[in-house]
Amino acid sequence: MHRLLTGPLRVEKLTIALADLPEHLQGTKLVQMSDFHYDGFRLSDALLDEAIAASNQQQPDLVLLTGDYVTEDPAPIHDLALRLKQLQSRAGIYAVLGNHDLIYRHSKSEITRAMTRTGIGVLWNQAVCPLGPELALVGLPDFWSREFNPTAVLAQVGAAIPRIVLSHNPDSAQLLRRWRVDLQLSGHTHGGQIVIPGVGPVLQRIKSIRRKIPKPLRRWIPYMSDGCDKVVHHWEWAEGLHQVGANQLYVNRGLGTYLPGRLFCPPEVTAITLVRA
């Protein structure tokens, strides 16, 4: 995507408090990256290299990737995985898959193999403890997948143990209110891509307008197609940190860009420092 339509990369830095975080994990640094859409058009190699360099500059304990590495054809994952091999992390790199990573029958296996070969742990209804048993990292399948099963995987984590949950689609936060989720990291929305300052993503505001436009015309108007309307229900969670019941949700704006581009919604690398609540 042309730089003019994508805009400059922004590193968002924030501190998030977790209940029961042990003293020796105070100050743990996480980097989140999301929605690459690495297909030769929606993400330039220059921006990808800049994002990787920005991540490494944070000297993170964990790098967490929250899905949509490709757009449709999974073949570009092999080049992307080699580039992601440059990511540096003290305790590892972990990933979950997004809806675009599951379009074809072979997409899941091909993407998982390519990333695993480069040392990235792909979590699919799994809980791991890369920083020790006092903090769990849970990875869920995409919310639209038939295998999305938080009940089974969250049951593996002791009730007193704080947990970070990777779930590509932020709509899953509504369902995940049933469980303790100290921090959910999501992507999927691209932040809305076009944002009106002080108002929010355009997509959050156009639903009433959309109904008045004849269906045959919608496909020719940016963000008016039926597909755009189904991307996510909770556009109020399109980017940033949110409180969803007792749980915390952070939504990354992603790196890839669809037409017509981004406005007041720059691509993002997120740097998170954990502290005890």
Side-chain angles (χ1 to χ4, degrees), residues 144-270:
W144 295 341
S145 166
R146 293 179 180 178
E147 297 183 46
F148 181 83
N149 187 11
T151 302
V153 65
L154 287 170
Q156 301 171 24
V157 182
I161 297 174
R163 72 286 310 270
I164 297 169
V165 174
L166 308 184
S167 182
H168 175 70
N169 188 329
D171 274 349
S172 63
Q174 185 64 38
L175 178 64
L176 291 173
R177 292 179 65 168
R178 302 176 189 174
W179 295 274
R180 173 180 179 174
V181 176
D182 296 84
L183 175 61
Q184 175 178 335
L185 298 179
S186 297
H188 184 61
T189 64
H190 299 200
Q193 285 205 174
I194 295 180
V195 175
I196 302 173
V199 176
V202 168
L203 276 163
Q204 187 178 350
R205 304 295 173 181
I206 67 172
K207 287 190 175 183
S208 59
I209 301 172
R210 182 179 173 276
R211 296 190 192 99
K212 301 175 184 178
I213 297 174
K215 283 189 175 182
L217 296 179
R218 292 176 191 170
R219 60 177 297 189
W220 303 107
I221 305 173
Y223 293 149
M224 287 290 180
S225 70
D226 292 343
C228 285
D229 188 53
K230 297 174 183 176
V231 169
V232 72
H233 292 294
H234 290 279
W235 280 109
E236 69 273 20
W237 301 337
E239 63 171 328
L241 185 63
H242 304 274
Q243 194 73 32
V244 184
N247 299 338
Q248 296 183 93
L249 165 69
Y250 187 85
V251 183
N252 178 293
R253 294 187 299 269
L255 295 172
T257 299
Y258 275 80
L259 289 173
R262 291 177 179 267
L263 181 66
F264 302 116
C265 186
E268 173 181 358
V269 168
T270 315

Side-chain angles (χ1 to χ4, degrees), residues 3-79:
R3 183 82 173 196
L4 182 64
L5 297 180
T6 297
L9 179 71
R10 183 180 297 173
V11 178
E12 301 289 0
K13 298 182 178 181
L14 61 155
T15 299
I16 294 181
L18 304 188
D20 306 316
L21 187 72
E23 185 63 33
H24 73 274
L25 292 179
Q26 286 264 30
T28 292
K29 294 182 180 179
L30 313 176
V31 163
Q32 181 194 6
M33 301 167 72
S34 196
D35 295 84
F36 297 79
H37 290 282
Y38 190 74
D39 59 7
F41 178 66
R42 292 174 177 83
L43 173 62
S44 70
D45 287 342
L47 179 58
L48 176 59
D49 289 344
E50 186 181 356
I52 291 170
S55 176
N56 292 343
Q57 190 174 17
Q58 302 304 314
Q59 298 182 320
D61 296 294
L62 286 174
V63 174
L64 306 173
L65 312 177
T66 48
D68 279 3
Y69 308 101
V70 299
T71 303
E72 292 182 358
D73 181 5
I77 190 61
H78 302 285
D79 289 337

Side-chain angles (χ1 to χ4, degrees), residues 75-136:
I77 190 61
H78 302 285
D79 289 337
L80 176 61
L82 288 175
R83 288 180 173 273
L84 294 179
K85 198 172 182 179
Q86 302 171 54
L87 285 168
Q88 299 168 10
S89 173
R90 181 180 69 83
I93 304 167
Y94 291 88
V96 292
L97 303 187
N99 55 300
H100 281 268
D101 305 317
L102 304 172
I103 287 180
Y104 299 114
R105 286 186 178 182
H106 65 289
S107 293
K108 176 191 171 186
S109 58
E110 185 169 354
I111 291 169
T112 300
R113 283 197 305 269
M115 297 183 78
T116 301
R117 279 198 297 264
T118 56
I120 298 171
V122 179
L123 304 178
W124 185 270
N125 280 327
Q126 290 173 272
V128 295
C129 297
L131 297 173
E134 300 93 347
L135 177 64

